[in-house]
Amino acid sequence: MPSTLPLGDPVPADGGFPAAVQRALPARAEVPFGLYVHIPFCSVRCGYCDFNTYTAEDLGPGASQVSYPDTLISELVFARSVLDAMGAPERPFSTVFFGGGTPTLLPPEELARILARARELFGFRPDAEITTEANPDTITAATAQVLAEAGFTRLSLGMQSAVPEVLRTLDRTHDPANVERAVQAARAAGLQVSLDLISGTPGESLEDWRTSLDHAVALRPDHISAYSLIIEAGTAMAAKIKRGVLPDIDPDDQADKYLLTDQVLGAAGMSWYEVSNFSTSAATRSEHNLNYWVDSDWWGAGPGAHSHVAGLRWWNVKHPAAYAQRLSSGTTPGHGRELLADQDKTLEHLMLRVRLADGLDVAGYNALPELRRSQGEKISRKSLQSLVHDGLIDDDAAEPSTAHPQGRAVLTLRGRLLADAVTRRLAP
């Protein structure tokens, strides 16, 4: 689908889709459909964070945590009306993810009410994965029980580190001991547990990182996301690094910590399925995140949330007050939208699938209609062999087979450290 919209094209007031997207909807009937629910509130804004989040002091008039659930539900109602008007096929949600911010700053009963309304409006698949992120300090046995009874299946805890000094540098306010209590509460309620970790905090030693990994493994989670810290422009941490208050990120240190991550988590029986994500089995992977990586569809509800349906992407206004005002007037909260050009779509397909343990199916990529239309270069046997020679992709996976007649590009451990370089070499 060639791009017919410039980047940031305004969203119509009724939220309607372009004709080309409407025509594509019937073919998406079996494509997984997810819901992302953005809860933008935090008690304290972490110095490294550039997410669309707000403390109470940031909200200003016209927005509050008390009224927010009703505002968010009004977007779900709006979403249902848009999809019906566009003739979209019925697709119950296969995944739901409450992110933030800190979703569990809202009372668990309110999260349950939002989830119940989503179920009424769209339906959920019988095996739907339903996750909420949480700060460990906000989870009690009673909270976890309410979430489980409402239908949540996973709790994703922002552990980040087990080292108090590292947590202070990150401006995290939780007590490390509360991570264990939160995990125990989730387990008692029958919830799966995922832990988020961040490596490479300024001043964090390799032994500090090992301590965090060991503590995380000892909690026996189903899933761990281990991200390398990225310093985003405009954040408080970026300003401290610029002033010399904190040391800058060291790429070699980040690489050493990733190697240690793979070693420790692998020894604990956890396997990587995406460069930064590890799980105990295929059943405990984050299906919601996998939907992002394989170009499925999702509706993003909340200020600043992004959505994707049949190649169309749009994003909401960022401030909660502006978001609430638009919905109260019956107008889309969407701020801008785009259709990617063919060349951009094929590059994204390659870049995201290369990061997955299943790898990139070369024959499938070379057959993409977008690649043919854009007259882009196909991946050749020679380019695969060159990456195998350099130890960046797996030799056995690259060999042609019945299931993959042109082989697959599956990253080696070294390749995971250089995933962006592998993408550039496959798509010159």
Side-chain angles (χ1 to χ4, degrees), residues 38 66 103 110 207 224 232 239 276 281 323-325 333 361 365 381 396 410 419:
H38 188 61
V66 174
E110 290 295 84
E207 284 308 306
I224 289 179
E232 302 288 357
S276 298
S281 71
Y323 170 76
Q325 189 279 325
D361 175 59
Y365 173 81
R381 188 78 199 142
D396 291 337
V410 176

Side-chain angles (χ1 to χ4, degrees), residues 138-395:
T138 64
I139 296 299
T140 64
T143 299
Q145 192 61 43
V146 171
L147 294 173
E149 290 175 357
F152 284 88
T153 63
R154 297 174 78 248
L155 193 64
S156 179
L157 293 165
M159 176 179 172
Q160 318 309 5
S161 174
V163 179
E165 183 57 36
V166 173
L167 290 173
R168 281 192 288 271
T169 301
L170 291 171
D171 296 321
R172 299 292 294 183
T173 60
H174 70 264
D175 178 350
N178 277 352
V179 178
E180 182 174 359
R181 285 191 283 270
V183 170
Q184 291 172 346
R187 291 292 189 208
L191 298 170
Q192 287 189 7
V193 174
S194 178
L195 299 177
D196 284 357
L197 298 174
I198 295 178
S199 69
T201 298
E204 178 191 61
S205 68
L206 190 61
E207 284 308 306
D208 287 336
W209 181 237
R210 183 186 294 275
T211 296
S212 294
L213 290 170
D214 288 344
H215 275 70
V217 164
L219 296 173
R220 302 179 64 83
D222 304 287
H223 184 280
I224 289 179
S225 296
Y227 299 111
S228 297
L229 181 64
I230 297 174
I231 305 301
E232 302 288 357
T235 61
M237 183 170 282
K240 288 181 179 179
I241 290 173
K242 185 175 182 179
R243 297 197 309 269
V245 176
L246 293 174
D248 205 348
I249 298 296
D250 179 354
D252 291 335
D253 175 69
Q254 292 279 36
D256 288 341
K257 287 171 179 169
Y258 186 84
L259 294 174
L260 182 61
T261 300
D262 188 74
Q263 174 189 327
V264 172
L265 299 189
M270 303 188 80
S271 302
W272 77 284
Y273 68 95
E274 191 275 341
V275 169
S276 298
N277 289 271
F278 299 75
S279 65
T280 56
S281 71
T284 56
R285 296 174 177 180
S286 171
E287 292 298 325
H288 187 82
N289 286 342
L290 278 168
N291 286 344
Y292 294 151
W293 298 324
V294 299
D295 195 38
S296 295
D297 291 340
W298 65 92
W299 192 289
H306 286 233
S307 302
H308 172 265
V309 174
L312 177 70
R313 297 179 180 176
W314 69 95
W315 48 95
N316 288 347
V317 292
K318 296 184 76 170
H319 197 278
Y323 170 76
Q325 189 279 325
R326 290 200 181 196
L327 285 165
S328 67
S329 65
T331 300
T332 175
H335 178 67
R337 68 181 189 179
E338 64 178 345
L339 282 170
L340 289 186
D342 286 336
Q343 186 174 2
D344 293 329
K345 290 184 72 174
T346 55
L347 177 60
E348 187 174 273
H349 178 104
L350 188 159
M351 177 182 67
L352 293 176
R353 281 163 177 76
V354 159
R355 291 179 63 88
L356 299 177
D358 291 341
L360 174 77
D361 175 59
V362 176
Y365 173 81
N366 285 340
L368 288 174
E370 294 88 357
L371 185 67
R372 184 170 61 251
R373 285 198 298 262
S374 65
Q375 299 182 331
E377 292 189 34
K378 294 184 176 181
I379 296 174
S380 67
R381 188 78 199 142
K382 181 178 180 180
S383 64
L384 278 185
Q385 290 172 334
S386 172
L387 289 164
V388 168
H389 178 269
D390 292 342
L392 297 174
I393 65 171
D394 181 78
D395 190 1

Side-chain angles (χ1 to χ4, degrees), residues 20-55:
V21 174
Q22 291 185 57
R23 290 193 297 270
L25 288 174
R28 306 290 285 185
E30 300 305 316
V31 174
F33 190 31
L35 172 65
Y36 173 75
V37 179
H38 188 61
I39 310 295
F41 311 118
C42 286
S43 56
V44 174
R45 186 169 179 82
C46 299
Y48 63 91
C49 180
D50 73 335
F51 294 167
N52 187 43
T53 61
Y54 302 84
T55 63

Side-chain angles (χ1 to χ4, degrees), residues 412-423:
T412 61
L413 179 56
R414 181 169 183 264
R416 281 184 264 159
L417 295 173
L418 299 168
D420 291 344
V422 173
T423 298

